Amino acid sequence: MPAMNIAVIGAGMAGVTCARALAEAGLDVTLLEKSRGLGGRLATRRVDGAAASAWRFDHGAPSVAAADPAFLAHLRALPAAAQWQRPSAPGSDEWVGVPSQSRLVGELPDAVQVVTGTRITALARDAAGMWRLEGEAGAVPGPFAAVAVATPAPQAVELLPPGTLTGRLGTVAFDPCWALMVATRTPWPLPWSAAAGDIAGITADHHKPQRPAGPGLYVLHATAAWSARYLEDDAADVAAALLDRFRASIGNGVDVVHAQAHRWRYARVARALGEPCLVDAALGLGYGGDGCLGDGAEAAFLSGRALAARLAAALPRV
């Protein structure tokens, strides 16, 4: 019988958690990610250049909350995770990655082969019941006894073979979000308005643990309604519009030295599936992600763990 090599598509919190759990169950895993690194929306943008060599913007999820004991244990075990209270929200208790948000997904065991910069465009099951994957650059070395898809649900619906898990996933909906990354010559003193009008929130990244002293580093997230209205606009135009809103919230006298916009097409879960994951045991095919249980890294972690358990249980043992 072919080796039990499992493909996991998508390396956000759900995908990495699933890959780690499958490897810990004794399976060989190939983790495939279209971007250059892991983390998905637990993302950090580094601005290079002599004057900005230490600028890092957590332009995806600015922080994560944890209530589930398993997720709390995961975060507490990470040397690269730190608790943080927002200056604009005294009493808040959140977690951030050090020095970047992607560190919150944790480390992967050697049994996981990580392949980044590879967008999977098709998957099909051959006559022997094994999965073959196609990427933009051609076939992905395999075959695979099972496939776990951990991308945003709308992307998964486009990828999965018709008639598999697509019907259920079609009910999951996401809201978009435009993010603005801003550097100011010096940090602007509190108090300032963190959310108003078209702004869902502003995070002062320079206040986070173990961030270097220097300029003020801020990430503004627009509301879902504003982001949807201008979703297809040019990023430079969006940056200019959001910068006006940033100045109005922080202070019109702020000295901005850098501003850049980033679009998250699938930013937050608007309508969840309502169960931890989906698995077709007969096909060796599964789906997990924060679209299953709700919004946020904790929901993605729990979904990825559930997906690995159900998929591993469905595989024949050799």
Side-chain angles (χ1 to χ4, degrees):
M1 180 176 287
M4 285 297 175
N5 191 11
I6 314 301
V8 178
I9 302 172
M13 177 62 83
V16 172
T17 301
C18 178
R20 183 190 303 112
L22 288 170
E24 291 171 351
L27 299 163
D28 292 328
V29 182
T30 300
L31 179 62
L32 301 138
E33 168 58 40
K34 67 178 181 178
S35 302
R36 291 178 296 177
L38 311 185
R41 280 159 284 163
L42 289 171
T44 299
R45 175 74 56 85
R46 174 172 174 151
V47 177
D48 293 319
S53 58
W55 294 2
R56 287 184 171 91
F57 298 95
D58 296 334
H59 62 304
S63 60
V64 303
D68 182 86
F71 188 52
L72 270 171
H74 165 76
L75 293 173
R76 287 170 175 159
L78 294 178
Q83 287 182 281
W84 175 58
Q85 290 192 1
R86 291 173 178 265
S88 58
S92 61
D93 191 5
E94 304 167 64
W95 292 80
V96 296
V98 179
S100 63
Q101 288 294 78
S102 63
R103 302 295 296 274
L104 293 178
V105 300
E107 301 296 325
L108 285 164
D110 293 339
V112 179
Q113 178 186 1
V114 179
V115 181
T116 57
T118 300
R119 183 189 295 270
I120 303 303
T121 56
L123 55 153
R125 206 160 177 249
D126 63 21
M130 301 293 286
W131 288 98
R132 307 278 179 169
L133 275 57
E134 289 286 333
E136 289 179 331
V140 174
F144 301 96
V147 175
V149 179
T151 65
Q155 294 177 334
V157 168
E158 295 179 359
L159 177 63
L160 289 165
T164 52
L165 307 174
T166 53
R168 294 290 310 282
L169 285 179
T171 66
V172 179
F174 282 78
D175 284 330
C177 180
W178 273 107
L180 179 71
M181 295 160 275
V182 181
T184 64
R185 195 167 302 280
T186 58
W188 200 248
L190 290 168
W192 38 264
S193 174
D198 299 321
I199 301 173
I202 300 175
T203 302
D205 280 358
H206 57 271
H207 277 296
K208 292 179 178 178
Q210 300 182 44
R211 303 298 170 103
L217 301 178
Y218 302 90
V219 176
L220 177 153
H221 287 102
T223 63
W226 193 95
S227 299
R229 190 179 311 131
Y230 301 105
L231 187 62
E232 305 303 336
D233 281 24
D234 182 77
D237 294 336
V238 169
L242 290 179
L243 187 56
D244 288 341
R245 288 157 175 79
F246 172 81
R247 290 182 185 276
S249 294
I250 298 293
N252 286 314
V254 67
D255 188 2
V256 173
V257 295
H258 174 83
Q260 182 181 12
H262 178 87
R263 178 181 61 193
W264 295 100
R265 189 175 293 275
Y266 307 112
R268 306 200 68 165
V269 178
R271 185 173 61 248
L273 182 67
E275 57 184 285
C277 62
L278 294 176
V279 171
D280 187 322
L283 293 179
L285 185 64
Y287 175 81
D290 59 357
C292 290
L293 289 172
D295 193 56
E298 180 173 281
F301 173 88
L302 297 173
S303 177
R305 194 176 62 158
L307 175 58
R310 286 189 58 185
L311 205 54
L315 293 170
R317 292 298 174 178
V318 295

